[in-house]
Amino acid sequence: MHIIIVLSIAISAIAGIVGYYLGYEYHRRRLNNTTEKESGSESDVIKERVMSVRNHTMRLTELASLKKMVEEFERDSEIIDLSINRLEVVLLKLQSAIESDDEAWAESLLTRFSKHLRQLLHEGASSSIEIEETNGHLECALSLLSAMNHNTWAYEINLDRFNDFDKTRTIKSMSITPWVLEKLWDYTLKSTISKTVKLEVTSDTYEVLYRLKVNGITYERKEAIWSGST
């Protein structure tokens, strides 16, 4: 897939250069008084060639963009599928908590799991979601993972560098929450998280950067901001 995209972009670039050259040559010939005037038919041929190359360039660019979107969708689909499969493990953990004598743990895990499941279903019903709402979903996801480890570790979500103007704007649904869950899953399953998990959210009108820090390791992911709100 990467090779196809690179080839498509390369072909687009070459076609663009050729189109630019033909366009430049066409205008140069028209403006150069010392050059013999081209016949009307030849000028029309050049025009047609320029337009043809430009049209091909547009189509190739669209194709490259489409293939890139498909690749990103396939990658995200794998993460989403894993995230859904993880719910079965959480249910087993919940069953274990209910069967134990630790009622506080069972209640905490049940409450957070139920909320997370509702949010997951809500987010999956739309193609986009408000960024502020996503931040709320992230808080719930982190609290669920912490509850799985008997709340032995804390978490912080830093929004100091998050632009208030972007709160009601949107990003792609089912992109960030499943990503955070997947990055922290093995740590949670092995109960190896120490101290505090930190999640920093920053925005610059064009994209949102999520920086996740756990056990001294930093993971980053960017999401493009869509115009408007859901």
Side-chain angles (χ1 to χ4, degrees):
M1 181 67 74
H2 287 290
I3 296 175
I4 295 175
I5 293 174
V6 171
L7 286 176
S8 298
I9 294 174
I11 293 172
S12 298
I14 293 171
I17 293 172
V18 173
Y20 174 81
Y21 173 77
L22 289 176
Y24 170 80
E25 186 67 13
Y26 167 68
H27 288 293
R28 186 184 68 80
R29 291 186 181 185
R30 287 192 60 188
L31 296 175
N32 191 347
N33 294 327
T34 61
T35 304
E36 183 180 354
K37 292 184 178 180
E38 301 292 332
S39 65
S41 60
E42 186 173 351
S43 296
D44 290 339
V45 170
I46 294 176
K47 282 183 180 179
E48 290 178 2
R49 288 179 179 175
V50 172
M51 293 304 298
S52 178
V53 171
R54 287 178 178 173
N55 287 336
H56 282 301
T57 300
M58 291 177 62
R59 296 295 176 269
L60 289 169
T61 301
E62 291 171 359
L63 179 60
S65 298
L66 178 60
K67 288 178 178 177
K68 183 178 180 181
M69 289 175 63
V70 170
E71 183 185 50
E72 290 178 349
F73 177 78
E74 289 176 349
R75 183 189 65 229
D76 287 339
S77 294
E78 292 177 1
I79 295 177
I80 293 170
D81 288 342
L82 282 174
S83 179
I84 293 174
N85 291 336
R86 304 306 192 201
L87 296 179
E88 297 180 5
V89 179
V90 179
L91 281 173
L92 292 175
K93 179 74 72 171
L94 178 58
Q95 181 180 349
S96 176
I98 293 174
E99 293 174 351
S100 71
D101 294 330
D102 194 339
E103 294 182 1
W105 176 43
E107 183 178 355
S108 172
L109 190 55
L110 177 59
T111 300
R112 296 175 187 184
F113 174 74
S114 298
K115 184 177 181 180
H116 171 68
L117 186 58
R118 289 196 303 271
Q119 291 177 342
L120 198 63
L121 293 172
H122 169 70
E123 186 170 344
S126 177
S127 61
S128 63
I129 182 172
E130 288 187 359
I131 301 173
E132 187 173 27
E133 188 173 6
T134 298
N135 293 339
H137 289 192
L138 289 171
E139 194 279 333
C140 180
L142 290 171
S143 67
L144 173 62
L145 294 178
S146 179
M148 288 179 65
N149 288 155
H150 293 263
N151 300 307
T152 55
W153 50 270
Y155 59 87
E156 296 177 359
I157 299 180
N158 187 338
L159 300 175
D160 291 344
R161 297 175 60 189
F162 179 70
N163 192 340
D164 288 341
F165 177 77
D166 294 325
K167 284 184 177 180
T168 57
R169 302 180 73 192
T170 62
I171 59 174
K172 182 171 58 177
S173 291
M174 300 297 290
S175 57
I176 294 302
T177 303
W179 174 76
V180 169
L181 287 170
E182 191 57 32
K183 290 301 179 184
L184 295 177
W185 184 255
D186 285 341
Y187 294 103
T188 303
L189 212 59
K190 298 175 183 177
S191 299
T192 56
I193 295 179
S194 61
K195 296 183 179 179
T196 304
V197 171
K198 297 182 179 181
L199 178 62
E200 182 182 13
V201 184
T202 63
S203 66
D204 62 1
T205 304
Y206 301 103
E207 63 184 11
V208 186
L209 170 63
Y210 295 88
R211 184 177 287 111
L212 180 67
K213 297 181 180 180
V214 54
N215 292 359
I217 301 175
T218 300
Y219 303 95
E220 292 185 354
R221 172 155 176 158
K222 295 180 180 179
E223 280 296 321
I225 296 178
W226 296 5
S227 299
S229 58
T230 53

Short mmCIF file of all heavy atoms in Angstrom, two decimals, residues 131 135 158-159 161-162 171 176 179 199-204 206-212 218-225:
data_model
loop_
_atom_site.label_atom_id
_atom_site.label_comp_id
_atom_site.label_asym_id
_atom_site.label_seq_id
_atom_site.Cartn_x
_atom_site.Cartn_y
_atom_site.Cartn_z
N ILE A 131 -14.44 17.64 20.24
CA ILE A 131 -13.17 17.39 20.93
C ILE A 131 -13.36 17.40 22.44
O ILE A 131 -12.79 16.57 23.16
CB ILE A 131 -12.12 18.44 20.52
CG1 ILE A 131 -11.90 18.39 19.01
CG2 ILE A 131 -10.81 18.20 21.26
CD1 ILE A 131 -11.01 19.49 18.47
N ASN A 135 -12.52 14.40 25.17
CA ASN A 135 -11.74 14.53 26.40
C ASN A 135 -12.46 13.87 27.57
O ASN A 135 -11.83 13.25 28.44
CB ASN A 135 -11.48 16.01 26.70
CG ASN A 135 -10.57 16.66 25.66
OD1 ASN A 135 -9.83 15.97 24.96
ND2 ASN A 135 -10.62 17.98 25.57
N ASN A 158 -4.01 16.98 31.09
CA ASN A 158 -3.57 18.37 31.07
C ASN A 158 -4.14 19.07 29.84
O ASN A 158 -3.82 18.71 28.70
CB ASN A 158 -2.04 18.43 31.05
CG ASN A 158 -1.51 19.84 31.21
OD1 ASN A 158 -2.20 20.82 30.93
ND2 ASN A 158 -0.26 19.96 31.65
N LEU A 159 -4.99 20.08 30.08
CA LEU A 159 -5.61 20.84 28.99
C LEU A 159 -5.11 22.28 28.94
O LEU A 159 -5.74 23.14 28.30
CB LEU A 159 -7.13 20.83 29.15
CG LEU A 159 -7.81 19.46 29.14
CD1 LEU A 159 -9.30 19.61 29.43
CD2 LEU A 159 -7.60 18.75 27.81
N ARG A 161 -2.77 23.67 27.36
CA ARG A 161 -2.42 24.15 26.02
C ARG A 161 -3.49 23.79 24.98
O ARG A 161 -3.24 23.79 23.79
CB ARG A 161 -1.06 23.56 25.61
CG ARG A 161 0.09 23.99 26.51
CD ARG A 161 1.38 23.28 26.14
NE ARG A 161 1.78 23.57 24.78
CZ ARG A 161 2.77 22.93 24.15
NH1 ARG A 161 3.44 21.97 24.77
NH2 ARG A 161 3.08 23.24 22.90
N PHE A 162 -4.68 23.52 25.50
CA PHE A 162 -5.80 23.22 24.60
C PHE A 162 -6.58 24.50 24.36
O PHE A 162 -7.01 25.18 25.29
CB PHE A 162 -6.70 22.16 25.23
CG PHE A 162 -7.89 21.81 24.39
CD1 PHE A 162 -7.74 21.12 23.20
CD2 PHE A 162 -9.17 22.19 24.78
CE1 PHE A 162 -8.83 20.80 22.42
CE2 PHE A 162 -10.27 21.87 24.01
CZ PHE A 162 -10.10 21.17 22.82
N ILE A 171 -13.38 16.00 15.67
CA ILE A 171 -12.37 15.13 15.08
C ILE A 171 -13.06 13.83 14.69
O ILE A 171 -14.24 13.63 14.97
CB ILE A 171 -11.21 14.84 16.06
CG1 ILE A 171 -11.74 14.17 17.33
CG2 ILE A 171 -10.43 16.09 16.38
CD1 ILE A 171 -10.65 13.71 18.28
N ILE A 176 -9.25 8.38 19.00
CA ILE A 176 -8.34 8.62 20.11
C ILE A 176 -8.57 7.68 21.30
O ILE A 176 -7.63 7.10 21.83
CB ILE A 176 -8.44 10.09 20.57
CG1 ILE A 176 -7.91 11.00 19.47
CG2 ILE A 176 -7.63 10.31 21.85
CD1 ILE A 176 -6.48 10.71 19.06
N TRP A 179 -7.23 4.29 20.78
CA TRP A 179 -5.77 4.38 20.72
C TRP A 179 -5.16 4.42 22.12
O TRP A 179 -4.20 3.71 22.41
CB TRP A 179 -5.37 5.62 19.93
CG TRP A 179 -3.89 5.89 19.91
CD1 TRP A 179 -2.94 5.24 19.17
CD2 TRP A 179 -3.19 6.88 20.69
NE1 TRP A 179 -1.69 5.77 19.43
CE2 TRP A 179 -1.81 6.77 20.35
CE3 TRP A 179 -3.58 7.83 21.61
CZ2 TRP A 179 -0.85 7.59 20.93
CZ3 TRP A 179 -2.62 8.64 22.19
CH2 TRP A 179 -1.27 8.52 21.85
N LEU A 199 -1.77 12.51 30.40
CA LEU A 199 -2.24 12.74 29.04
C LEU A 199 -2.34 14.24 28.81
O LEU A 199 -3.10 14.93 29.49
CB LEU A 199 -3.60 12.09 28.82
CG LEU A 199 -4.23 12.29 27.43
CD1 LEU A 199 -3.37 11.67 26.35
CD2 LEU A 199 -5.64 11.70 27.39
N GLU A 200 -1.56 14.74 27.87
CA GLU A 200 -1.57 16.16 27.54
C GLU A 200 -2.27 16.36 26.20
O GLU A 200 -1.96 15.68 25.23
CB GLU A 200 -0.14 16.71 27.47
CG GLU A 200 -0.08 18.21 27.19
CD GLU A 200 1.34 18.72 27.08
OE1 GLU A 200 2.27 17.88 26.98
OE2 GLU A 200 1.53 19.95 27.07
N VAL A 201 -3.22 17.29 26.19
CA VAL A 201 -3.98 17.58 24.97
C VAL A 201 -3.71 19.02 24.55
O VAL A 201 -3.95 19.95 25.31
CB VAL A 201 -5.50 17.39 25.20
CG1 VAL A 201 -6.26 17.59 23.89
CG2 VAL A 201 -5.79 16.02 25.78
N THR A 202 -3.19 19.19 23.34
CA THR A 202 -2.92 20.53 22.82
C THR A 202 -3.58 20.67 21.45
O THR A 202 -3.76 19.69 20.73
CB THR A 202 -1.41 20.80 22.69
OG1 THR A 202 -0.85 19.89 21.74
CG2 THR A 202 -0.71 20.62 24.02
N SER A 203 -3.92 21.90 21.09
CA SER A 203 -4.54 22.14 19.78
C SER A 203 -4.04 23.45 19.20
O SER A 203 -3.62 24.35 19.93
CB SER A 203 -6.07 22.17 19.90
OG SER A 203 -6.49 23.28 20.66
N ASP A 204 -4.09 23.55 17.87
CA ASP A 204 -3.63 24.76 17.20
C ASP A 204 -4.57 25.18 16.07
O ASP A 204 -4.14 25.72 15.06
CB ASP A 204 -2.22 24.58 16.65
CG ASP A 204 -2.16 23.47 15.61
OD1 ASP A 204 -3.21 22.88 15.30
OD2 ASP A 204 -1.06 23.21 15.08
N TYR A 206 -5.79 23.65 13.73
CA TYR A 206 -5.74 22.72 12.60
C TYR A 206 -5.73 21.26 13.02
O TYR A 206 -6.27 20.40 12.33
CB TYR A 206 -4.51 23.01 11.74
CG TYR A 206 -4.48 24.41 11.19
CD1 TYR A 206 -3.66 25.38 11.76
CD2 TYR A 206 -5.30 24.78 10.12
CE1 TYR A 206 -3.64 26.68 11.26
CE2 TYR A 206 -5.29 26.07 9.62
CZ TYR A 206 -4.45 27.02 10.20
OH TYR A 206 -4.45 28.30 9.71
N GLU A 207 -5.12 20.97 14.16
CA GLU A 207 -5.04 19.59 14.62
C GLU A 207 -4.92 19.54 16.13
O GLU A 207 -4.57 20.53 16.78
CB GLU A 207 -3.87 18.86 13.96
CG GLU A 207 -2.51 19.43 14.30
CD GLU A 207 -1.38 18.74 13.57
OE1 GLU A 207 -1.67 17.95 12.65
OE2 GLU A 207 -0.21 18.98 13.93
N VAL A 208 -5.21 18.36 16.67
CA VAL A 208 -5.07 18.13 18.11
C VAL A 208 -3.95 17.12 18.31
O VAL A 208 -3.88 16.10 17.63
CB VAL A 208 -6.37 17.57 18.72
CG1 VAL A 208 -6.25 17.49 20.24
CG2 VAL A 208 -7.56 18.43 18.34
N LEU A 209 -3.07 17.44 19.25
CA LEU A 209 -1.97 16.53 19.58
C LEU A 209 -2.25 15.91 20.94
O LEU A 209 -2.48 16.61 21.93
CB LEU A 209 -0.64 17.29 19.62
CG LEU A 209 0.56 16.52 20.17
CD1 LEU A 209 0.88 15.31 19.30
CD2 LEU A 209 1.78 17.43 20.31
N TYR A 210 -2.23 14.58 20.98
CA TYR A 210 -2.41 13.84 22.22
C TYR A 210 -1.06 13.22 22.59
O TYR A 210 -0.51 12.43 21.83
CB TYR A 210 -3.47 12.76 22.06
CG TYR A 210 -4.85 13.31 21.79
CD1 TYR A 210 -5.26 13.57 20.48
CD2 TYR A 210 -5.74 13.57 22.83
CE1 TYR A 210 -6.53 14.08 20.23
CE2 TYR A 210 -7.00 14.09 22.58
CZ TYR A 210 -7.39 14.34 21.28
OH TYR A 210 -8.64 14.85 21.02
N ARG A 211 -0.56 13.60 23.75
CA ARG A 211 0.74 13.08 24.22
C ARG A 211 0.50 12.28 25.50
O ARG A 211 0.14 12.82 26.54
CB ARG A 211 1.71 14.24 24.46
CG ARG A 211 3.10 13.78 24.87
CD ARG A 211 4.07 14.94 25.03
NE ARG A 211 4.44 15.51 23.74
CZ ARG A 211 4.06 16.72 23.34
NH1 ARG A 211 3.28 17.47 24.11
NH2 ARG A 211 4.45 17.19 22.16
N LEU A 212 0.70 10.97 25.41
CA LEU A 212 0.45 10.05 26.51
C LEU A 212 1.77 9.61 27.13
O LEU A 212 2.65 9.12 26.43
CB LEU A 212 -0.34 8.84 26.00
CG LEU A 212 -0.71 7.75 27.00
CD1 LEU A 212 -1.73 8.28 28.01
CD2 LEU A 212 -1.27 6.53 26.27
N THR A 218 6.76 7.99 26.21
CA THR A 218 5.80 8.93 25.64
C THR A 218 5.29 8.43 24.30
O THR A 218 6.06 8.01 23.44
CB THR A 218 6.44 10.32 25.44
OG1 THR A 218 6.89 10.83 26.71
CG2 THR A 218 5.43 11.30 24.85
N TYR A 219 3.97 8.46 24.15
CA TYR A 219 3.33 8.11 22.89
C TYR A 219 2.59 9.35 22.39
O TYR A 219 2.00 10.09 23.17
CB TYR A 219 2.32 6.97 23.08
CG TYR A 219 2.91 5.71 23.66
CD1 TYR A 219 2.84 5.47 25.04
CD2 TYR A 219 3.53 4.76 22.86
CE1 TYR A 219 3.37 4.31 25.59
CE2 TYR A 219 4.06 3.60 23.40
CZ TYR A 219 3.98 3.38 24.76
OH TYR A 219 4.51 2.23 25.30
N GLU A 220 2.62 9.56 21.08
CA GLU A 220 1.96 10.73 20.52
C GLU A 220 1.07 10.35 19.34
O GLU A 220 1.37 9.42 18.60
CB GLU A 220 2.98 11.77 20.04
CG GLU A 220 3.76 12.43 21.16
CD GLU A 220 4.66 13.53 20.64
OE1 GLU A 220 4.76 13.69 19.40
OE2 GLU A 220 5.27 14.24 21.47
N ARG A 221 -0.01 11.09 19.22
CA ARG A 221 -0.89 10.91 18.07
C ARG A 221 -1.55 12.25 17.75
O ARG A 221 -1.98 12.97 18.65
CB ARG A 221 -1.95 9.85 18.33
CG ARG A 221 -3.00 9.78 17.22
CD ARG A 221 -3.67 8.45 17.14
NE ARG A 221 -4.72 8.44 16.13
CZ ARG A 221 -5.19 7.36 15.56
NH1 ARG A 221 -4.69 6.18 15.87
NH2 ARG A 221 -6.15 7.42 14.66
N LYS A 222 -1.65 12.55 16.44
CA LYS A 222 -2.30 13.78 16.00
C LYS A 222 -3.59 13.45 15.26
O LYS A 222 -3.66 12.46 14.55
CB LYS A 222 -1.36 14.57 15.08
CG LYS A 222 -0.11 15.10 15.75
CD LYS A 222 0.75 15.86 14.76
CE LYS A 222 2.02 16.40 15.43
NZ LYS A 222 2.88 17.13 14.46
N GLU A 223 -4.57 14.31 15.44
CA GLU A 223 -5.84 14.17 14.73
C GLU A 223 -6.21 15.51 14.11
O GLU A 223 -6.17 16.55 14.78
CB GLU A 223 -6.96 13.71 15.67
CG GLU A 223 -6.97 12.23 15.96
CD GLU A 223 -7.24 11.38 14.73
OE1 GLU A 223 -8.07 11.78 13.89
OE2 GLU A 223 -6.59 10.32 14.61
N ALA A 224 -6.57 15.48 12.84
CA ALA A 224 -6.98 16.71 12.16
C ALA A 224 -8.31 17.19 12.72
O ALA A 224 -9.21 16.40 13.00
CB ALA A 224 -7.10 16.47 10.66
N ILE A 225 -8.42 18.51 12.88
CA ILE A 225 -9.67 19.10 13.36
C ILE A 225 -10.58 19.36 12.18
O ILE A 225 -10.18 19.96 11.19
CB ILE A 225 -9.40 20.42 14.11
CG1 ILE A 225 -8.58 20.15 15.38
CG2 ILE A 225 -10.72 21.11 14.46
CD1 ILE A 225 -8.22 21.41 16.14
#
